[in-house]
Amino acid sequence: MCVLMARRAAAAPRGPCGPWLCLLMALALDVLRVDCDQDPLDPVYLPAALELLDAPEHFRVQQVGRYPPANSSLGSRSETFLLLQPWPRAQPLLRASYPPFATQQVVPPRVTEPHQRPVPWDVRAVSVEAAVTPATPHARVLFHLKGQDWPPGPGSLPCARLHATHPAGTAHRACRFQPSLGACVVEMEFPSHWFSQGSITRAELAYMLEPAAEGPGGCGPGGEPGPGEQALPVGSVELRPVDPPQYQEVPLDEVVTLRVPDVPVRPGQLFSATLLLRHNFTASVLALRIKVKKGLHVTAARPAQPTLWTAKLDRFKGSKHHTTLITCHRAGPTGQDASSPLELSEFLWVDFLVDNGTSGGVAVTRPVTWQLEYPGQAPEAEKDKMVWEILVSERDIRALIPLAKAEELVNTAPLTGVPRRVPVRLVTVDSGGALVEVTEHIGCESANTQVLQVSEACDAVLVAGKESRGALGVRVDFWWRRLRASLRLTVWAPLLPLRIELTDTTLEQVRGWRVPSSAEGALEPEAVAADEVERRVRSCRLQYQRANVRFLVPFAAHPLDGSRRLTHLLGPDWLLDVSHLVAPHAHVQDPRVASLEGGRVLVGREPGVTSIEVRSPLSDSILGEQALAVTDDKVSVLELRVQPVMGISLTLSRGAAHPGEVTASCWAQSALPAPKQEVALSLWLSFSDHTLAPAELYDHRDLGLSVSAEEPGAVLPAEGQGAQLGVVVSGVGPEGLPLHVSLHPPEPCRRGRHRVPLASGTAWLGLPPAPTPAPAFPSSPAQSSPAMETSMSGEGLAAGSVGGNGGVRGKFERAEEEAGKEEAEAKEEEEEEEMVPAPQRVTDLELGMYALLGIFCLAILIFLVNGVVFVLRYQRKEPPDSAPTDPASPQPHNWVWLGTDQEELSRQLDRQSPGLSKGERSCPCESGGGEALTVVTVPAGGTTSSPSTLARKEAGGRRKRVEFVTFASAPPAQLPEEPVGAPAVQSILVAGEEDIRWVCEDMGLKDPEELRSYMERIRGSS
């Protein structure tokens, strides 16, 4: 239909009424498009509460435009959670509740592979060595627990077993986690025959977690992984047959270079430094001054080529430093060398000795100052000095490793104003597998401060809310002494603005649903006077619709290369629900129009337009905004959708998009109830504006609910269970039992016709018979539920009503008594507002046809009004000759006469009536050849008006005159002395001949005499 109307609009005519027609067709197409694209009713779900317990940091997540999920229904619900710490200290629980029923389950551990056992610990493995040699055939791997805390005691932590696989064989070794750091190191020695292949080979490393065992070491003997077990990969390590050199080279000047070892030294250890000389060196004398602190000694200086150079060693002791001077002399001529003159060759070996004792095993540095001296150079020239620091430690430190509690960080600081921190600890790994934490003399720096910052004490990385973006693998550098290490983290940042989702952006009044005002919210006791009850009833106001509010935002990480390709958390179509974080900062701009209750429910107050805003706690900027409207239009409650709940079932599953993704699905148990079974009823209100809302959105004091059954005594009220509507079923047959639920206004506002239910619904306990009966719709006050029809016929009925306190209240009474009471109250109520019945649901096609018909009627009305206005406008414009005259009389003629004053004077004297007295006649008086004259105008009606005198004087010449003469037939009442057909003359005086020259020129006459003769000919012919 929409396509057909579009084609008709394209073929619309382009005539004078084209703009009107185009406008009407555009309006019609717009209405049809809205009707054709009308969204279906909002999806429903079981309003059960799903919450995570013992999970310190988690979010609810949803896909864009898919809330609730597609698999939700009136009796089921699904929610997806994201645990940022997937393996917390206590195993998290997920609880589903719908009062008075509840259930809970333990969140299952993550399973990364199909055949892998669940792992309850989040472990990070770091390989310390990238390569091993026959001199140091040990591979070390550090394991530490991240993202969690653990209970104290050695028996609570597991063991990590490392497996090495090489073409020459396999090896395995285990370690037990230390409670103080939550870490341990496996040091595995590779067999010597793994290095005998003569080339570089690789060994693959993997690990498994196993429970701790009794005995030395706390770990079992272990062995190869079982057939159903799979080890987690760590990486690979190179096996090199030759030891790589571990030194660094520093130039002292252009021709001399110093080579020093790049490893820590032990107390009492002897080591050497080497001087390298270029082949183009030509000097014969070279002096080397070495200055060391106490604890370090220069023991010897040995030339690499004794036949070419000699070395002399002199020592000088000081209070803080010891100075050694080494003087080298050339002993013989340099032989011819075919190598390049810029190549280096070993020239001198200098031996050092470290004293024993380094202050309790803590690593210290020993500075050594090197200075070259040549003949004729100042001995203290600063330009040739170089300081080299030697790290002396009693421990054989192999690496510096930062341990972070988490490897990813969700930056919620811009939303809450609270900084997010990830604790970091620095440890050193010694040979033998010992771990020592470092707390002093630590340096740190973030590679990108717009993404991540580091604390001054280098004990944490953090985001404070000023960061502008996220990143994948942002680097933070740490250093201690001469050891350096890096830590890489992923930071997820919110992509603002927030998305504020409302289940209904236009809140309207609910027809017939009146609730007490805020000042009259208390329920009226039974013993209140009649006038007080009347006052309370008149103070009630109409209920506005309510809407559920959710605050959502996607989180993403920016690439480090500066490109615009974003990586989204969980995926580009996933949003995190941050309602619990931003609800304290959300408010309605105009609180008189609407208000937020608990940060989750939007309540309409009075008609108007406003918006929900979320302001940043760090600045005055707006993080998100959503417009809404509250109108005084009326909507009706079409029906109640009722779901009986006799228990809650729950299932949990892990997702694959993220380690912390957990999906929970719960559904209501609605099997055939047992005797004395308690049943809770879930209610959804279906409105005439195609919106749905659960009853939990409304205040329980504003809901008047009643439940009835066709069988007497089958349903009893459930007292004090906390549910809005709960009953106890005494017994149900094999065919099931229908329950009829009705919605009423609250008791203080329920008078007369307002006792008719606003809407009704039916719920079946057990299996309904085939065909399923349709739910009852309250189309008019005379209509009622089947239970009420049964009660009116005189049969027994068990019924209960739910009042303001949320439970079933009132007693079950006879239907006849209820009907009589309602009739009496209806008679007393005289000024009560008429109850408007809820209209039947209209299809989208009918709505479109009605809108199109209305637009066409409006077009016809505009056309008719336009025609009437046209006719009236042109009827009032009559032609000059259409004056009401006798049809037999000749029509008047309009003439224009041009002549002189003298001719006009003679004509006026001839036309004067002979009956006038001499004193009444007007005679001209001449003065100087040209005088003004009196003109008597005789209208066509025969009455002579009062003479008017126009006096003007000129110096000379004849005055010209222009007369407009109308000949008309005299009416029957004309005087006899007035000649019939006398013209009505109205004269216009002209100053002179110059003033009428424009008339002469227009007629082609250049001289006034020609004009006079022309006019005389006209008069003679007439």
Side-chain angles (χ1 to χ4, degrees):
M1 180 176 179
C2 296
V3 176
L4 180 60
M5 293 304 301
R7 291 177 179 174
R8 291 181 179 178
R14 305 297 181 183
C17 58
W20 282 100
L21 187 58
C22 292
L23 177 60
L24 294 175
M25 295 302 297
L27 292 175
L29 287 177
D30 185 61
V31 173
L32 283 178
R33 182 172 62 252
V34 172
D35 292 334
C36 294
D37 298 339
Q38 180 71 38
D39 293 335
L41 288 174
D42 296 336
V44 297
Y45 57 90
L46 180 67
L50 296 173
E51 53 184 348
L52 272 170
L53 306 177
D54 298 329
E57 189 175 5
H58 66 276
F59 290 92
R60 299 174 188 265
V61 296
Q62 73 173 63
Q63 287 184 295
V64 177
R66 297 185 182 179
Y67 185 86
N71 57 351
S72 298
S73 64
L74 194 62
S76 63
R77 181 179 187 177
S78 295
E79 287 274 0
T80 302
F81 296 86
L82 177 65
L83 282 75
L84 298 183
Q85 297 179 3
W87 290 269
R89 172 178 178 177
Q91 200 71 14
L93 299 175
L94 202 148
R95 186 173 185 268
S97 61
Y98 191 83
F101 308 105
T103 184
Q104 62 184 18
Q105 285 189 14
V106 177
V107 176
R110 179 194 179 195
V111 178
T112 57
E113 300 294 338
H115 302 290
Q116 180 186 343
R117 293 186 305 177
V119 180
W121 301 94
D122 188 9
V123 177
R124 178 192 177 201
V126 181
S127 181
V128 177
E129 283 87 7
V132 295
T133 61
T136 56
H138 298 88
R140 301 171 183 87
V141 177
L142 181 143
F143 299 94
H144 77 94
L145 303 176
K146 62 178 182 178
Q148 58 192 335
D149 296 324
W150 48 87
S156 60
L157 298 180
C159 290
R161 183 168 298 277
L162 182 66
H163 299 271
T165 304
H166 189 264
T170 59
H172 58 86
R173 192 175 179 85
C175 70
R176 186 172 183 177
F177 287 91
Q178 302 176 12
S180 58
L181 295 174
C184 68
V185 176
V186 173
E187 186 177 66
M188 178 182 294
E189 183 178 0
F190 294 152
S192 58
H193 65 275
W194 287 14
F195 300 91
S196 60
Q197 298 185 7
S199 61
I200 297 177
T201 58
R202 288 185 174 273
E204 299 295 332
L205 305 179
Y207 76 96
M208 293 180 58
L209 297 181
E210 58 185 33
E214 300 294 336
C219 298
E224 298 296 330
E229 300 176 352
Q230 184 175 0
L232 299 175
V234 176
S236 61
V237 60
E238 288 186 355
L239 280 72
R240 298 176 179 176
V242 180
D243 294 338
Q246 297 182 358
Y247 56 82
Q248 60 179 346
E249 295 181 352
V250 180
L252 297 180
D253 62 3
E254 296 179 355
V255 293
V256 181
T257 301
L258 177 65
R259 178 184 293 170
V260 292
D262 192 21
V263 293
V265 296
R266 300 286 188 88
Q269 180 181 354
L270 183 66
F271 65 93
S272 299
T274 305
L275 266 72
L276 305 176
L277 201 64
R278 294 190 183 274
H279 293 171
N280 59 355
F281 184 75
T282 58
S284 59
V285 178
L286 175 64
L288 180 63
R289 190 179 297 272
I290 304 174
K291 184 184 294 185
V292 298
K293 281 190 175 182
K294 291 183 178 181
L296 192 63
H297 304 279
V298 180
T299 59
R302 299 175 289 119
Q305 298 177 357
T307 58
L308 300 179
W309 293 90
T310 61
K312 179 182 178 182
L313 185 63
D314 297 322
R315 297 185 178 89
F316 306 95
K317 293 184 178 181
S319 59
K320 295 183 179 180
H321 300 86
H322 298 318
T323 304
T324 301
L325 181 62
I326 302 175
T327 306
C328 300
H329 294 271
R330 190 184 295 273
T334 303
Q336 297 293 331
D337 194 352
S339 61
S340 172
L342 299 180
E343 290 185 1
L344 297 173
S345 61
E346 294 184 355
F347 163 65
L348 183 67
W349 296 322
V350 181
D351 299 332
F352 293 85
L353 178 64
V354 182
D355 290 344
N356 292 324
T358 58
S359 65
V362 180
V364 296
T365 57
R366 304 292 186 184
V368 180
T369 302
W370 302 78
Q371 183 179 4
L372 288 175
E373 298 178 1
Y374 295 97
Q377 183 184 8
E380 297 294 335
E382 297 290 339
K383 62 179 181 179
D384 295 329
K385 285 186 178 181
M386 193 276 295
V387 179
W388 167 50
E389 291 184 348
I390 301 175
L391 182 62
V392 180
S393 175
E394 293 182 357
R395 298 159 38 208
D396 186 8
I397 301 176
R398 293 294 179 175
L400 176 70
I401 298 178
L403 305 181
K405 193 174 182 180
E407 292 182 339
E408 66 177 356
L409 178 63
V410 177
N411 186 8
T412 59
L415 308 178
T416 62
V418 179
R420 295 292 313 281
R421 301 170 60 92
V422 175
V424 177
R425 307 171 76 174
L426 285 178
V427 297
T428 57
V429 180
D430 299 352
S431 59
L435 285 176
V436 178
E437 184 177 2
V438 179
T439 58
E440 297 179 352
H441 308 290
I442 303 174
C444 55
E445 183 182 10
S446 174
N448 193 340
T449 56
Q450 294 183 352
V451 177
L452 188 64
Q453 301 181 24
V454 61
S455 62
E456 295 182 359
C458 299
D459 59 349
V461 292
L462 56 96
V463 286
K466 301 297 184 180
E467 293 77 15
S468 59
R469 53 188 299 172
L472 291 174
V474 61
R475 189 182 79 254
V476 180
D477 298 323
F478 298 89
W479 58 87
W480 176 73
R481 302 297 183 184
R482 297 174 60 188
L483 301 177
R484 301 184 68 90
S486 297
L487 177 66
R488 292 188 176 273
L489 293 93
T490 296
V491 180
W492 304 101
L495 297 181
L496 299 175
L498 293 173
R499 301 188 183 186
I500 304 177
E501 287 193 358
L502 301 177
T503 54
D504 190 0
T505 57
T506 303
L507 306 182
E508 300 169 324
Q509 289 182 344
V510 182
R511 181 179 288 110
W513 191 355
R514 305 182 68 86
V515 296
S517 60
S518 58
E520 307 289 345
L523 294 179
E524 187 67 28
E526 297 180 1
V528 178
D531 55 348
E532 184 67 17
V533 175
E534 183 71 17
R535 187 184 65 84
R536 290 295 183 97
V537 170
R538 294 187 181 279
S539 66
C540 294
R541 56 178 176 82
L542 282 178
Q543 172 78 282
Y544 282 96
Q545 290 178 302
R546 298 190 176 192
N548 191 18
V549 185
R550 292 189 306 276
F551 301 92
L552 310 171
V553 65
F555 282 81
H558 299 73
L560 295 177
D561 56 2
S563 61
R564 297 184 178 180
R565 186 182 68 258
L566 299 179
T567 302
H568 291 79
L569 180 61
L570 292 180
D573 56 343
W574 284 91
L575 304 174
L576 271 66
D577 190 344
V578 293
S579 301
H580 61 290
L581 299 178
V582 303
H585 312 290
H587 68 281
V588 179
Q589 189 175 11
D590 189 353
R592 297 173 301 176
V593 176
S595 62
L596 273 176
E597 290 186 357
R600 296 295 186 95
V601 180
L602 181 66
V603 181
R605 298 297 181 188
E606 64 180 36
V609 178
T610 183
S611 62
I612 299 178
E613 292 182 353
V614 179
R615 291 194 172 270
S616 172
L618 302 176
S619 62
D620 293 335
S621 60
I622 297 178
L623 301 181
E625 186 176 9
Q626 173 63 49
L628 62 99
V630 180
T631 68
D632 53 1
D633 297 338
K634 301 295 191 301
V635 295
S636 302
V637 184
L638 295 180
E639 64 171 325
L640 288 182
R641 299 191 179 187
V642 188
Q643 171 65 41
V645 181
M646 288 171 283
I648 293 292
S649 300
L650 179 65
T651 58
L652 304 179
S653 60
R654 281 280 185 179
H658 191 274
E661 182 184 354
V662 179
T663 300
S665 300
C666 69
W667 61 91
Q669 298 176 1
S670 58
L672 196 65
K676 305 300 181 183
Q677 172 72 47
E678 185 173 1
V679 179
L681 299 178
S682 171
L683 303 178
W684 279 78
L685 281 65
S686 176
F687 295 99
S688 58
D689 60 348
H690 291 262
T691 59
L692 293 169
E696 283 76 10
L697 286 182
Y698 295 88
D699 192 350
H700 63 277
R701 295 174 297 182
D702 298 339
L703 293 172
L705 300 172
S706 63
V707 60
S708 60
E710 295 181 356
E711 298 182 8
V715 177
L716 299 175
E719 300 291 344
Q721 297 297 330
Q724 287 192 349
L725 183 61
V727 296
V728 175
V729 181
S730 60
V732 178
E735 69 281 358
L737 176 67
L739 295 181
H740 306 292
V741 183
S742 301
L743 172 65
H744 298 268
E747 185 65 27
C749 302
R750 195 187 310 176
R751 292 291 304 275
R753 295 184 178 87
H754 281 179
R755 289 194 175 275
V756 177
L758 301 176
S760 302
T762 302
W764 280 85
L765 302 179
L767 296 177
T772 304
F777 294 89
S779 59
S780 66
Q783 293 182 353
S784 59
S785 64
M788 291 186 179
E789 293 175 1
T790 305
S791 64
M792 291 178 185
S793 62
E795 298 179 4
L797 171 67
S801 63
V802 178
N805 56 2
V808 176
R809 69 180 186 88
K811 298 182 179 180
F812 293 89
E813 300 178 357
R814 300 295 298 174
E816 292 82 357
E817 298 176 0
E818 290 288 341
K821 184 177 180 181
E822 290 183 3
E823 291 178 2
E825 292 179 353
K827 292 179 181 180
E828 295 176 358
E829 187 66 31
E830 296 180 355
E831 298 179 358
E832 189 68 32
E833 181 182 349
E834 185 70 20
M835 185 70 172
V836 180
Q840 296 292 337
R841 184 175 301 172
V842 183
T843 63
D844 297 340
L845 180 60
E846 292 176 349
L847 289 177
M849 296 301 296
Y850 292 155
L852 188 60
L853 181 60
I855 291 175
F856 285 157
C857 292
L858 180 61
I860 295 173
L861 179 61
I862 293 174
F863 177 78
L864 292 177
V865 171
N866 192 14
V868 171
V869 172
F870 179 84
V871 171
L872 293 178
R873 180 184 300 173
Y874 286 96
Q875 275 186 350
R876 294 176 182 176
K877 293 187 177 182
E878 299 178 355
D881 55 353
S882 62
T885 57
D886 188 6
S889 63
Q891 298 296 326
H893 302 279
N894 296 329
W895 296 88
V896 178
W897 178 81
L898 301 177
T900 61
D901 294 341
Q902 298 296 332
E903 295 172 350
E904 173 61 19
L905 180 58
S906 61
R907 292 177 65 248
Q908 293 293 340
L909 292 176
D910 295 339
R911 289 168 52 191
Q912 288 185 359
S913 175
L916 294 178
S917 62
K918 217 173 192 181
E920 293 178 358
R921 296 175 180 264
S922 298
C923 55
C925 302
E926 298 184 5
S927 175
E931 294 290 335
L933 71 156
T934 302
V935 180
V936 178
T937 303
V938 182
T943 59
T944 304
S945 60
S946 301
S948 58
T949 303
L950 302 176
R952 297 186 61 182
K953 295 184 179 182
E954 282 197 12
R958 300 178 61 186
R959 297 194 179 184
K960 302 301 178 180
R961 196 173 191 84
V962 180
E963 292 184 357
F964 296 89
V965 182
T966 300
F967 295 93
S969 61
Q974 189 174 3
L975 296 176
E977 57 270 11
E978 184 71 17
V980 179
V985 180
Q986 184 176 1
S987 301
I988 302 176
L989 289 179
V990 182
E993 295 179 357
E994 293 79 26
D995 297 330
I996 63 172
R997 184 173 301 171
W998 57 275
V999 179
C1000 302
E1001 292 177 356
D1002 290 341
M1003 299 183 62
L1005 304 178
K1006 302 301 182 179
D1007 186 65
E1009 296 296 332
E1010 297 178 0
L1011 178 61
R1012 185 181 304 108
S1013 61
Y1014 173 75
M1015 294 305 300
E1016 289 177 353
R1017 288 197 304 270
I1018 291 177
R1019 290 196 303 177
S1021 63
S1022 60

